[in-house]
Amino acid sequence: MQEQIRSILKAALGSRAAPGTIEHIAVVGNALPRRCGLATFTSHVVDALRDRFPGLVVDHYAMDDRSGIEYPANVHTIAADDPAAYRLAAGLIEASGAQAIWLQHEFGIFGGTAGDHVMRLLERSTLPVVATLHTVLEKPSAEERLAFDRLLDRCAHLIVMAERGKTILETVYGVSPERVSVIPHGVPDRPHIVPEQAKQSFRLADRKVIMTFGLLAPDKGIGFMIDAMPAIVARHPEALYVVIGATHPNLIREQGEALRESLEQKAADLGVADNVRFVGDFLDQEELLDWLGASDVYVTPYLNMAQITSGTLSYAIGLGKPVVSTPYLHAAELLADGHGILVPPRDSAALSEAVLNLLDDDGAREALAGRAYARGRELLWPRAVERAVALMEAANRVRPHVSRFTSGRPLRPSIEAVKRMTDGTGMLQHGIHTVPDRNHGYCIDDNARALILMCRLGEEMEAVTGPLASTYSAFISHAWNPDRGRFRNFMNYDRSWCESEGSEDSNGRTLWALGCAAATATDAGIRGWAADLFDKAAPLAAQLISPRASAFAALGAVDILSIYPGHRAATAMLEASSDMLKSLLVTSRRPDWAWFETVLAYDNARLPEALLRIGHLLDDREAIDLGLETLEWIAKVQTNGRGAFRPIGTDSFQRPYSAPLPFDQQPLEAQAMIDACTAALSVSDDRCWVDHAWRAYGWFIGDNDLGLPVADGIDGGCHDGLMPHGVNRNQGAESILALQLANASMRSLSEKRDSGPARTAA
């Protein structure tokens, strides 16, 4: 069987060509108008991507701290403290057609322990991840190390803004050098102007302007620069230290404007209140750059020497400003080789001396400005995003790429895995890998499906299917509860029932199995038993309000009417189900939503299949047309960007009028689509239904989002689904039966294809 899968893959899928140039990415970080450096950076990254690559689709996902910020309509928000929001975002990104994720990572942005909530998004997506690390801790806490290691393992490539960050990743975290690129902080492209030109707008023509900008916080060292001002003012009374930026939002929440007020008081106490000005607004980029252009000397007196990124420093260099800075990591690298002046931290005397040297010597100041501007040309945003996009393209090229599976030969039906999961009582529900799990016992859903499979395999396998059909029939018979007029569903391994009656869907599916057995079982005794029990249970169909349960019952009624024309109870089931589905469609339909419910759920294709089979049997043209329309709609919904089948993922359930999310993908959906396409071929000569059926079948073989076979191939087993990073290795009854029922349906379809065209509508 394994060799058969390999041969099918080789013949039908061919070589896996590498995807072309990347066309769609998702950027995850923060967004303006949130007041923080990462929000500014992420928004500018998105703007730069769209400017540099007009044809690139860029989706912007931003963490929302629930502070009441109103984000632009083109920003998708993720509630930072809600784990489910990250899972939902992963599905939205996956379903959007994005080919890569560019993550802007900072520990304080994401919820959870050390920001580990973001892993719920990354581990829920199959896309390659390139992460820009805005902080790389040399001495992380245990929680930070654990969260960061998970992030590093998940990423295809890492970006840091300083060489020191790369060194820390290699020496502390063991990251291989080829996985890390240094891409400096981007800066806007502005012409170099002398400060006197810009000062006019701010009425500062007679002042020597020293400037610091950014969110106000204790680690910015502003107090030390204010301490340096008396010495500066003594030689340059015209000197003005301008501090631009709102107080950090976290600080505002904790202590209001206490920090700003204390700094203003310090300036007053030192006698330099007229030489220190606070511009306490969060300025937009253009206004901020205008202010920056007016500065003669830019200062970053920061206290945290481990700071690996400073957007304000990058912007100052980008505009060609002479910079005096403490030697935190980013400054030490960016200002090296004579591109700025470094002074010790917490040293006001050193700050005043460095600033005075520049203010005293116009030639030295202008020369330093020229060197800074030349270095800034290397930092322009277009260059930064070009390099990042190249990394995402490289990561995307190594992803599995599978061509569409639209023809070939299906796997041979095999019931070895079915036998493995079956004992003298019935078919067990779940497996732990390939080992039956007795802890969860049995259910009538799986035994009903198993009975349908035994009937569909026909006389050629009767020697092995006959005894199993008897076992499944006995389970169903024992499940009937005449006192309730319903079937029980769940049974413990000790054969004790867990309930007096099962769900509507399990009862509807059991009626389907009884109808199938009554019409097609090879054993006459089973046919008679099934017909009798169908008649006993038929009244329950009138009580079903679940559309799937009603559709399941109708499928059984179609089989009953094939051998008992005019069967009143079966006819009533068809009419009731048809009326229900038509009514639901009228209620839920929208121009872009041709479906029976406002949400998507499981076994979706069974609803149009029921309409098609009812319409065919009752010669109801309306039912046929609606069945074809809704099947065409759900087929499009379940097709990914490459044209492969993508089952409605379980993450999609119960989301009104929402596009489906891709995971977790279940075998049941592929099998239902195949059966529905077979029903469509009974009323239409459109060969698209053959293609749709083969596409759904290809999902089992490996023509899916991950390029991985879900069919086991050893003994006819099937894995329990497709997860974001691989198959679910467990093999439960539902999955095994879905594959084998699909094999049987595709074998029948292949025989029809080989013998002639599809039958046209009556």
Side-chain angles (χ1 to χ4, degrees):
M1 184 72 73
Q2 194 68 42
E3 286 301 317
Q4 190 181 3
I5 286 183
R6 290 195 189 101
S7 65
I8 289 175
L9 279 169
K10 183 177 180 180
L13 303 183
S15 61
R16 297 183 177 185
T21 301
I22 201 161
E23 298 176 345
H24 189 166
I25 65 173
V27 178
V28 179
N30 277 355
L32 295 171
R34 183 170 177 172
R35 296 182 173 185
C36 75
L38 193 71
T40 302
F41 181 90
T42 311
S43 292
H44 291 171
V45 157
V46 170
D47 291 342
L49 285 167
R50 290 170 177 163
D51 289 343
R52 176 62 185 84
F53 302 101
L56 179 68
V57 178
V58 182
D59 297 329
H60 188 174
Y61 291 80
M63 310 314 301
D64 181 9
D65 62 357
R66 301 181 191 260
S67 58
I69 297 172
E70 291 189 15
Y71 289 94
N74 61 352
V75 173
H76 309 277
T77 58
I78 304 170
D81 60 353
D82 182 3
Y86 293 83
R87 181 185 177 107
L88 175 62
L92 293 172
I93 292 171
E94 198 81 18
S96 72
Q99 297 161 282
I101 295 172
W102 186 3
L103 175 72
Q104 310 302 323
H105 182 268
E106 183 65 88
F107 284 98
I109 299 305
F110 308 105
T113 303
D116 65 354
H117 278 359
V118 72
M119 296 309 299
R120 296 173 182 265
L121 187 161
L122 301 183
E123 292 175 351
R124 223 30 217 173
S125 171
T126 65
L127 302 179
V129 177
V130 173
T132 296
L133 307 176
H134 291 254
T135 297
V136 182
L137 299 173
E138 199 161 7
K139 296 180 180 179
S141 66
E143 292 82 3
E144 290 166 337
R145 179 63 191 254
L146 180 62
F148 205 55
D149 280 341
R150 286 177 64 194
L151 172 70
L152 299 180
D153 288 343
R154 173 64 181 88
C155 293
H157 204 85
L158 305 165
I159 297 172
V160 291
M161 299 188 199
E163 289 290 343
R164 179 59 182 165
K166 182 175 183 180
T167 300
I168 296 172
L169 287 174
E170 295 172 14
T171 58
V172 177
Y173 297 93
V175 178
S176 58
E178 61 271 13
R179 289 186 60 216
V180 187
S181 294
V182 179
I183 302 179
H185 193 298
V187 300
D189 187 5
R190 274 209 169 191
H192 187 214
I193 61 172
V194 296
E196 281 63 31
Q197 291 179 257
K199 289 177 184 178
Q200 302 294 333
S201 300
F202 303 104
R203 299 180 180 178
L204 297 174
D206 57 344
R207 308 299 294 262
K208 289 293 186 183
V209 179
I210 307 156
M211 186 176 295
T212 299
F213 79 82
L215 291 174
L216 199 61
D219 63 351
K220 295 298 178 68
I222 304 299
F224 290 95
M225 186 59 214
I226 293 176
D227 286 335
M229 285 304 295
I232 295 172
V233 171
R235 280 176 31 198
H236 288 277
E238 77 282 11
L240 176 67
Y241 181 36
V242 179
V243 181
I244 298 177
T247 303
H248 196 288
N250 293 342
L251 210 61
I252 289 288
R253 283 193 289 267
E254 295 168 5
Q255 53 185 258
E257 290 287 3
L259 175 61
R260 185 184 303 277
E261 292 166 359
S262 70
L263 293 173
E264 290 173 339
Q265 186 61 49
K266 176 188 280 285
D269 293 343
L270 293 172
V272 292
D274 292 337
N275 300 90
V276 177
R277 180 184 301 179
F278 287 88
V279 180
D281 298 320
F282 191 86
L283 306 181
D284 64 35
Q285 176 172 283
E286 292 307 308
E287 187 176 3
L288 182 60
L289 294 177
D290 289 342
W291 268 103
L292 187 55
S295 64
D296 293 282
V297 178
Y298 189 78
V299 182
T300 55
Y302 298 167
L303 306 182
N304 177 15
M305 295 302 99
Q307 183 168 336
I308 205 165
T309 304
S310 171
T312 67
L313 176 64
S314 297
Y315 278 26
I317 292 295
L319 267 67
K321 294 295 146 183
V323 175
V324 175
S325 176
T326 53
Y328 55 92
L329 292 178
H330 191 196
E333 290 188 19
L334 190 59
L335 303 182
D337 305 323
H339 290 85
I341 299 173
L342 298 176
V343 299
R346 304 175 185 273
D347 191 336
S348 298
L351 282 168
S352 63
E353 181 181 357
V355 172
L356 281 169
N357 287 339
L358 290 173
L359 294 182
D360 289 344
D361 189 339
D362 292 344
R365 189 173 69 252
E366 291 168 5
L368 181 55
R371 293 195 298 274
Y373 189 74
R375 173 151 288 186
R377 299 299 85 196
E378 303 169 8
L379 310 180
L380 298 180
W381 275 120
R383 295 189 180 186
V385 297
E386 282 170 3
R387 294 183 61 191
V389 167
L391 293 174
M392 285 181 272
E393 287 181 341
N396 188 53
R397 280 195 293 271
V398 301
R399 295 184 68 207
H401 179 68
V402 185
S403 302
R404 285 176 48 189
F405 181 94
T406 56
S407 63
R409 290 287 176 182
L411 299 172
R412 291 185 299 273
S414 170
I415 62 168
E416 292 306 308
V418 176
K419 290 163 61 178
R420 163 165 49 86
M421 293 292 292
T422 301
D423 61 14
T425 301
M427 194 168 188
L428 289 149
Q429 284 191 82
H430 298 298
I432 305 173
H433 288 244
T434 60
V435 178
D437 184 2
R438 295 175 175 175
N439 291 314
H440 292 93
Y442 317 82
C443 70
I444 200 170
D445 277 310
D446 292 333
N447 282 273
R449 293 187 185 99
L451 180 57
I452 291 173
L453 175 63
M454 298 304 105
C455 295
R456 288 192 181 179
L457 291 179
E459 295 182 358
E460 65 182 89
M461 299 182 68
E462 184 178 5
V464 289
T465 60
L468 292 173
S470 294
T471 298
Y472 306 136
S473 298
F475 187 97
I476 292 171
S477 184
H478 185 48
W480 174 245
N481 184 346
D483 295 336
R484 293 291 188 95
R486 294 281 184 112
F487 292 94
R488 304 174 180 91
N489 189 10
F490 296 109
M491 174 189 277
N492 295 313
Y493 184 68
D494 64 4
R495 294 188 176 182
S496 60
W497 289 105
C498 301
E499 70 227 328
S500 57
E501 64 180 76
S503 65
E504 283 200 5
D505 286 6
S506 67
N507 274 264
R509 187 175 282 106
T510 305
L511 285 173
W512 178 14
L514 291 171
C516 178
T520 62
T522 56
D523 182 88
I526 290 179
R527 291 199 303 272
W529 158 81
D532 289 344
L533 188 52
F534 183 94
D535 286 342
K536 289 180 183 177
L540 73 84
Q543 305 166 29
L544 300 176
I545 60 174
S546 160
R548 279 164 186 75
S550 179
F552 297 154
L555 293 173
V558 167
D559 285 332
I560 288 290
L561 286 165
S562 70
I563 54 170
Y564 300 116
H567 192 287
R568 290 184 179 179
T571 302
M573 288 183 201
L574 298 191
E575 293 172 346
S577 183
S578 178
D579 290 344
M580 175 189 289
L581 292 173
K582 291 175 183 177
S583 176
L584 287 172
L585 187 58
V586 169
T587 302
S588 302
R589 181 194 290 275
R590 285 185 177 183
D592 60 344
W593 191 269
W595 196 240
F596 307 93
E597 301 167 295
T598 62
V599 298
L600 298 168
Y602 77 103
D603 235 359
N604 293 284
R606 295 297 176 195
L607 304 182
E609 180 191 359
L611 270 183
L612 290 168
R613 296 199 185 280
I614 292 168
H616 186 218
L617 189 67
L618 300 183
D619 196 18
D620 181 346
R621 191 67 238 181
E622 181 187 12
I624 291 172
D625 290 342
L626 293 177
L628 291 173
E629 179 191 2
T630 52
L631 181 58
E632 181 180 8
W633 185 85
I634 198 67
K636 289 179 180 177
V637 167
Q638 295 192 113
T639 301
N640 70 12
R642 296 197 318 273
F645 183 73
R646 173 187 280 168
I648 301 296
T650 56
D651 288 346
S652 304
F653 293 0
Q654 309 309 315
R655 298 177 62 242
Y657 294 114
S658 297
L661 304 177
F663 295 104
D664 298 340
Q665 300 177 17
Q666 305 295 310
L668 189 72
E669 295 302 315
Q671 185 228 332
M673 177 57 70
I674 292 168
D675 283 355
C677 290
T678 303
L681 285 166
S682 69
V683 298
S684 169
D685 59 358
D686 191 335
R687 305 302 294 180
C688 77
W689 303 117
V690 176
D691 289 341
H692 281 306
W694 277 108
R695 194 172 292 123
Y697 188 70
W699 179 86
F700 287 103
I701 306 303
D703 187 11
N704 52 48
D705 285 306
L706 301 187
L708 297 175
V710 182
D712 182 305
I714 302 298
D715 62 353
C718 182
H719 298 296
D720 276 350
L722 204 62
M723 317 295 283
H725 292 290
V727 296
N728 180 340
R729 293 294 173 184
N730 295 331
Q731 295 187 21
E734 179 184 292
S735 303
I736 294 169
L737 292 167
L739 172 63
Q740 295 309 322
L741 284 162
N743 288 342
S745 294
M746 292 308 297
R747 181 180 62 168
S748 175
L749 184 67
S750 296
E751 292 170 353
K752 290 179 181 178
R753 178 191 62 186
D754 295 342
S755 62
R759 191 168 18 156
T760 58

